[in-house]
Amino acid sequence: LNCTQSCARQGVGFEWIAPWQKESPSQGVDLTRRGVLAATAAGVVGLCLMRTSPQARGKVFNPELLRPPGARAEQDFLGRCIACGACMKVCPTGGLQPAAFEASLEGVWTPKLTPSIGYCEYDCTRCGQVCPTGAIAPLTLEEKHNTRLGLAGFDRSRCLPWAYGQPCLVCEEHCPVPAKAIYLERVTVTDRNGNPRELDQPHVDPALCIGCGICENVCPFKDRPAIRVTSANESRHDG
């Protein structure tokens, strides 16, 4: 569009026209006082509507809204985030995806972690490093390791050891926390023929779980995982 700026007589311009329209009549911009006031009022009302939702004010936490590590308090985060997508582009697992309406209208296209697609890599701090507005604060690895994104929980009606008496250690094996936020309890179960046998049943330690989502990502059930991460217990709730 350099030609439009450099033309001394302003004889060059661009405009959208319908394919069937041969010529587009020249129309000026309505800059009447009434039009300006109406546009300003509409903008103010729209902004108020976006920021009056409980989610935007941080009064209600959507269980499906897992923010990136280092994300500021929700109201501050929404005020800073410009939905540029930089954090999503650098996420090594692809787990950061654009939000729909989990954070109300104002939060559309802001980043959220979707464990079914990708988890939060334990030793990764890229999202905070590339955020241009500070909506996601840059963290050291030590700070990242102590930041809780949410909390994992088992659906015992679907988990193989709990519901079907079948051995499965996948979630415990993949848990990246050194002390293992998912631990196993050896129990004795009885099969349909009345024969006892020992089985390891998994549990989540809420004091150690950081909500990274890898357990949900690797769960053998791909339709609806037997272990899922919600925003409960995330570090931002403490504030």
Side-chain angles (χ1 to χ4, degrees), residues 5-185:
Q5 298 177 1
S6 60
C7 182
R9 298 186 178 182
Q10 299 181 345
V12 181
F14 293 89
E15 62 184 49
W16 293 100
I17 62 172
W20 58 85
Q21 187 176 351
K22 295 182 179 180
E23 296 182 358
S24 177
S26 177
Q27 295 180 352
V29 179
D30 182 12
L31 293 179
T32 63
R33 182 179 179 183
R34 179 178 298 178
V36 172
L37 292 176
T40 302
V44 172
V45 171
L47 182 62
C48 292
L49 289 177
M50 287 193 296
R51 296 199 170 184
T52 53
S53 67
Q55 292 90 347
R57 290 184 289 115
K59 301 299 183 182
V60 175
F61 296 95
N62 189 320
E64 304 298 325
L65 187 62
L66 302 174
R67 290 301 192 189
R72 299 183 183 274
E74 188 65 12
Q75 190 171 10
D76 189 12
F77 176 82
L78 290 176
R80 291 170 177 257
C81 181
I82 57 175
C84 65
C87 55
M88 305 179 205
K89 293 179 182 178
V90 299
C91 182
T93 67
L96 287 183
Q97 296 289 316
F101 296 101
E102 295 87 349
S104 75
L105 183 62
E106 190 178 5
V108 172
W109 208 260
T110 56
K112 70 166 188 172
L113 180 67
T114 307
S116 59
I117 297 177
Y119 55 91
C120 184
E121 178 61 49
Y122 188 64
D123 289 327
C124 176
T125 59
R126 297 181 188 180
C127 54
Q129 295 172 2
V130 301
C131 181
T133 63
I136 304 174
L139 303 176
T140 64
L141 271 181
E142 182 179 1
E143 291 172 332
K144 162 68 184 300
H145 293 165
N146 292 294
T147 299
R148 302 185 307 274
L149 309 184
L151 179 65
F154 285 99
D155 181 349
R156 295 188 179 185
S157 67
R158 295 177 60 79
C159 180
L160 290 175
W162 283 101
Y164 304 107
Q166 299 296 320
C168 181
L169 308 175
V170 175
C171 56
E172 188 271 344
E173 291 175 340
H174 284 80
C175 180
V177 179
K180 291 293 183 181
I182 298 178
Y183 64 96
L184 305 173
E185 180 183 10

